[in-house]
């Protein structure tokens, strides 16, 4: 997985272009949710703290790759990012991973207190579905997108994976258990991102299945690289502390496969993700590059 000399101009350009529209849209939809002063600062603090915006970018990219109007998918993309942000706020709480830093800034609960951080996460969760319902899309499209996001975020998806992740602390787990945990905790929202883009475009089943396979592969690769960076990453570049997995006595792909084995698995998943996009033409070239960008990232 040595990508020192690799470049991904299409993927990087795509992310820059989508970030430029996602950032102001997040503020717009958050304001439309009617923010109460006590939690307004905390919600905005975490939602606008930066990040690569990979998940919302996937929604817009797959909508475009399927021939849809990606701008109409923007509320869906922003709703997804609200849910991702709420999960980070809650994940950082002392009762969860107990992380003091996020994206180079104090975690929400360190800046605003645990009670306000908890409510800020709750506020973003509910604002997400208000945002989906505001989309200028057919009612059935909105229904399908909302259902996909709710399933991915709930106990059968991200929350279920977080429960498993907490249960995994302090005990040895095998690769199958770790894969199941990460397919839910990290992978579910990434798969929902691709699915909502396809839904917004009214894509045929063949393309939806290809997008789901791609998203499942890059979601797992993303988590494997997270495990690698938690061991060997630069805290300054990552914007958070490293070594939390070891401190919490968690099994990771690095502990199970070794550092080189984990890198090899991330590379295998990258190749599989690219292969999944064979159902698409050149309109998915940026997504092909994105798989490599994510599998070889250093922050």
């Amino acid at each position: 997985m040595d990508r020192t000399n690799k470049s991904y101009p299409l993927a990087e350009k795509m992310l820059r272009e989508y970030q430029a529209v996602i950032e102001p849209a997040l503020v717009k939809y958050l304001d439309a949710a009617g923010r109460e002063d006590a939690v307004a600062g905390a919600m905005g603090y975490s939602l606008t703290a930066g990040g690569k915006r990979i998940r919302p970018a996937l929604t817009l990219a797959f909508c475009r790759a399927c021939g849809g109007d990606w701008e109409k998918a923007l509320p869906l993309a922003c709703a997804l990012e609200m849910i991702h942000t709420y999960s980070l706020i809650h994940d950082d709480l002392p009762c969860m991973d107990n992380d003091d830093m996020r994206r180079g800034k104090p975690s929400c609960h360190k800046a605003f207190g645990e009670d306000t951080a908890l409510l800020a996460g709750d506020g973003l969760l509910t604002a997400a579905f208000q945002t989906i319902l505001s989309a200028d899309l057919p009612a059935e499209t909105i229904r399908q997108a909302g259902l996909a996001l709710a399933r991915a975020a709930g106990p059968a998806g991200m929350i279920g994976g977080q429960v498993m992740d907490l249960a995994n602390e302090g005990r040895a787990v095998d690769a199958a258990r770790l894969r199941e945990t990460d397919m839910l905790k990290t992978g579910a929202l990434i798969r929902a991102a691709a699915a909502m883009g396809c839904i917004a475009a009214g894509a045929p089943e063949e393309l939806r299945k290809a997008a789901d396979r791609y998203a499942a592969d890059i979601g797992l690769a993303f988590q494997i690289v997270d495990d690698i960076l938690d061991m060997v990453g630069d805290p300054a570049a990552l914007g958070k502390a490293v070594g939390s997995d070891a401190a919490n006595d968690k099994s990771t792909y690095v502990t199970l496969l070794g550092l080189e084995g984990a890198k090899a698995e991330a590379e295998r998943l990258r190749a599989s993700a690219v292969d999944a996009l064979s159902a698409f033409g050149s309109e998915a070239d940026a997504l092909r590059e994105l798989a490599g960008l994510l599998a070889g990232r250093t922050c």
Side-chain angles (χ1 to χ4, degrees):
M1 198 183 71
D2 182 6
R3 305 196 174 280
T4 305
N5 298 317
K6 293 283 187 177
S7 62
Y8 307 96
L10 293 177
E12 290 167 353
K13 181 174 182 286
M14 177 187 75
L15 289 177
R16 287 195 302 270
E17 289 179 348
Y18 287 148
Q19 285 165 359
V21 295
I22 289 166
E23 298 300 337
L26 286 170
V27 175
K28 169 189 166 183
Y29 290 119
L30 190 56
D31 286 342
R35 300 189 296 175
E36 202 283 324
D37 285 345
V39 294
M43 292 168 70
Y45 174 85
S46 292
L47 189 62
T48 61
K52 301 177 186 67
R53 308 303 191 194
I54 297 297
R55 292 160 186 81
L58 281 172
T59 297
L60 303 182
F62 270 107
C63 183
R64 174 181 272 174
C66 293
D69 181 351
W70 65 268
E71 291 186 57
K72 289 195 172 183
L74 193 54
L76 312 185
C78 289
L80 177 65
E81 188 67 5
M82 287 177 181
I83 286 188
H84 174 55
T85 302
Y86 119 72
S87 76
L88 298 180
I89 292 173
H90 284 190
D91 216 30
D92 288 338
L93 289 170
C95 62
M96 297 282 282
D97 284 352
N98 194 24
D99 284 325
D100 291 346
M101 299 294 293
R102 172 68 63 179
R103 292 172 176 164
K105 298 167 62 178
S107 301
C108 190
H109 70 276
K110 297 302 290 186
F112 294 90
E114 291 180 37
D115 50 357
T116 299
L118 182 67
L119 292 170
D122 294 343
L124 287 170
L125 173 60
T126 51
F129 289 99
Q130 179 176 330
T131 300
I132 282 185
L133 291 170
S134 75
D136 181 21
L137 291 166
E140 177 59 17
T141 300
I142 292 172
R143 186 192 72 81
Q144 289 183 28
L147 187 58
L149 184 55
R151 284 173 172 165
M158 179 186 71
I159 288 177
Q162 289 175 322
V163 171
M164 292 178 69
D165 190 51
L166 290 171
N168 291 346
E169 291 183 7
R171 67 187 183 99
V173 300
D174 60 20
R177 168 79 178 187
L178 188 59
R179 181 185 178 89
E180 182 183 4
T181 301
D182 293 333
M183 288 292 286
L184 295 176
K185 182 182 179 184
T186 303
L189 281 190
I190 291 177
R191 293 172 74 179
M196 289 198 298
C198 294
I199 289 167
E205 188 65 21
E206 176 192 8
L207 294 186
R208 294 189 190 202
K209 287 182 177 179
D212 183 66
R213 180 184 153 199
Y214 169 91
D217 284 339
I218 67 165
L220 193 53
F222 193 93
Q223 183 58 54
I224 291 171
V225 176
D226 259 6
D227 289 354
I228 292 169
L229 294 177
D230 191 70
M231 174 174 280
V232 300
D234 177 6
L238 292 170
K240 62 180 181 178
V242 299
S244 63
D245 290 337
N248 291 323
D249 196 19
K250 289 171 63 173
S251 294
T252 69
Y253 292 95
V254 176
T255 62
L256 291 176
L257 303 177
L259 184 58
E260 293 306 314
K263 290 179 179 180
E265 180 62 7
E267 169 58 21
R268 184 192 70 78
L269 289 163
R270 180 208 63 79
S272 178
V274 171
D275 181 67
L277 294 181
S278 60
F280 292 85
S282 60
E283 68 276 4
D285 282 348
L287 286 163
R288 293 182 176 94
E289 283 193 8
L290 182 65
L293 182 65
L294 295 181
R297 78 187 200 280
T298 58
C299 63

